[in-house]
Amino acid sequence: MKVGILGCGAIANIITNFASEGKLGVKIKYFYDRDMERAENLASQVDGRVVLDMEDMLSHVDLVIEAASPSSVEEMVPPILKAGKDVIIMSVGGLINPDIRSKLQKLAKKNNCRIYAPSGAIVGLDGIKAASLGKIHHVTLVTRKPPRSLGITTEKETILYQGKASEAVKKFPLNINVAATVSMAAGQEIEVKIIADPQVDRNMHELEVVGDFGEFHTMTSNIRCSMNPKTSVLAAYSAIKLLNSLNENLLVGT
């Protein structure tokens, strides 16, 4: 399988590093970023090719990894699907809008391709998806990050947001993809609280799910990417595991 990457930031760097070490079950061959230097740096690691326009890679790849920004989901994913190519969306916040999500699903169905949204920087999605077959009474997500990860400076714990996931994604588009991921897995818009906490040095997500099945609580404490403190290493790992699973005969998990 040949893969192209759209957006050559922190996540793309980790994925490309795995490829250069022979730990990726697919070939990363094409790179696109508005910053050509970033794309060229990654391409050089795997004997890849930089394209001047994202659509230039579509006739040469089987799948594209979107790792750019939530706005790129609406702008750049449709041409990928129209070309009949599968896509892995890392900027899952771009799918929180049901109209955009429905449009992309229709395009994927029409062109016989798939949209993948990895689990990202949080655990518990398998349980939520299974629980959604019954009635889920409520889902709450508390995200706690160092102030720098949220783009602010403060010396005390500060609640920056409390409310619905869709509004959280609008206010913090580069920080709260997990809210969109959990909402889609649960089949309902979840409640979100975002806290800037100078006492923590990791990106932390506490999840509580209550339903007919019972209840569960998870806590994910993520190491941040050195390139971008907004991004957790686990998010990149989830994409890598998804890529490798496309060639596996035994799939574990929901």
Side-chain angles (χ1 to χ4, degrees):
M1 178 180 287
K2 292 183 179 179
V3 174
I5 293 183
L6 163 60
C8 297
I11 287 177
N13 266 267
I14 294 175
I15 294 172
T16 304
N17 286 341
F18 266 70
S20 67
E21 295 170 2
K23 298 178 181 178
L24 203 60
V26 299
K27 293 181 179 180
I28 307 291
K29 297 301 293 183
Y30 291 86
F31 296 83
Y32 172 78
D33 194 286
R34 291 190 173 118
D35 184 334
M36 289 291 292
E37 185 176 351
R38 295 206 309 181
E40 289 168 354
N41 286 340
L42 291 190
S44 66
Q45 295 182 34
V46 291
D47 192 26
R49 178 181 172 187
V50 174
V51 293
L52 298 178
D53 188 304
M54 185 274 296
E55 295 191 38
D56 290 342
M57 71 170 71
L58 296 183
S59 61
H60 305 288
V61 300
D62 304 295
L63 179 147
V64 176
I65 303 169
E66 177 284 315
S69 67
S71 61
S72 69
V73 174
E74 182 177 11
E75 176 188 351
M76 304 185 83
V77 169
I80 298 171
L81 298 174
K82 288 177 182 177
K85 308 300 179 177
D86 294 343
V87 60
I88 293 177
I89 293 179
M90 300 305 300
S91 306
V92 186
L95 294 173
I96 192 72
N97 184 316
D99 293 333
I100 294 174
R101 192 164 68 245
S102 176
K103 175 185 175 181
L104 296 181
Q105 286 178 297
K106 288 176 181 176
L107 280 175
K109 184 176 182 180
K110 180 180 178 181
N111 294 285
N112 194 31
C113 48
R114 290 189 173 189
I115 303 167
Y116 298 96
S119 54
I122 197 165
V123 300
L125 286 189
D126 275 12
I128 295 174
K129 289 192 293 182
S132 70
L133 294 179
K135 184 174 178 57
I136 293 180
H137 303 308
H138 77 261
V139 182
T140 57
L141 172 69
V142 178
T143 289
R144 185 182 298 269
K145 293 188 175 186
R148 178 168 170 254
S149 294
L150 292 161
I152 69 166
T153 301
T154 181
E155 296 181 358
K156 63 179 182 178
E157 179 181 305
T158 305
I159 297 175
L160 299 181
Y161 176 79
Q162 188 164 3
K164 295 294 184 181
S166 58
E167 192 63 26
V169 170
K170 289 178 185 177
K171 291 180 178 293
F172 301 91
L174 302 179
N175 284 280
I176 200 68
N177 280 314
V178 292
T181 305
V182 174
S183 291
M184 288 191 294
Q188 59 183 262
E189 191 169 3
I190 68 167
E191 294 292 326
V192 177
K193 181 187 289 187
I194 302 173
I195 301 172
D197 187 347
Q199 300 302 313
V200 302
D201 62 357
R202 297 187 177 186
N203 297 334
M204 304 174 71
H205 304 292
E206 184 177 1
L207 185 64
E208 179 183 76
V209 183
V210 178
D212 290 345
F213 72 96
E215 63 184 82
F216 68 80
H217 307 255
T218 71
M219 170 64 81
T220 313
S221 180
N222 288 301
I223 299 293
R224 295 173 292 154
C225 290
S226 57
M227 280 188 61
N228 183 354
K230 297 181 177 69
T231 301
S232 300
V233 172
L234 187 63
Y237 284 0
S238 73
I240 291 166
K241 182 58 182 174
L242 172 56
L243 285 167
N244 287 340
S245 72
L246 298 177
N247 293 317
E248 292 175 356
N249 301 114
L250 172 63
L251 300 179
V252 179
T254 302

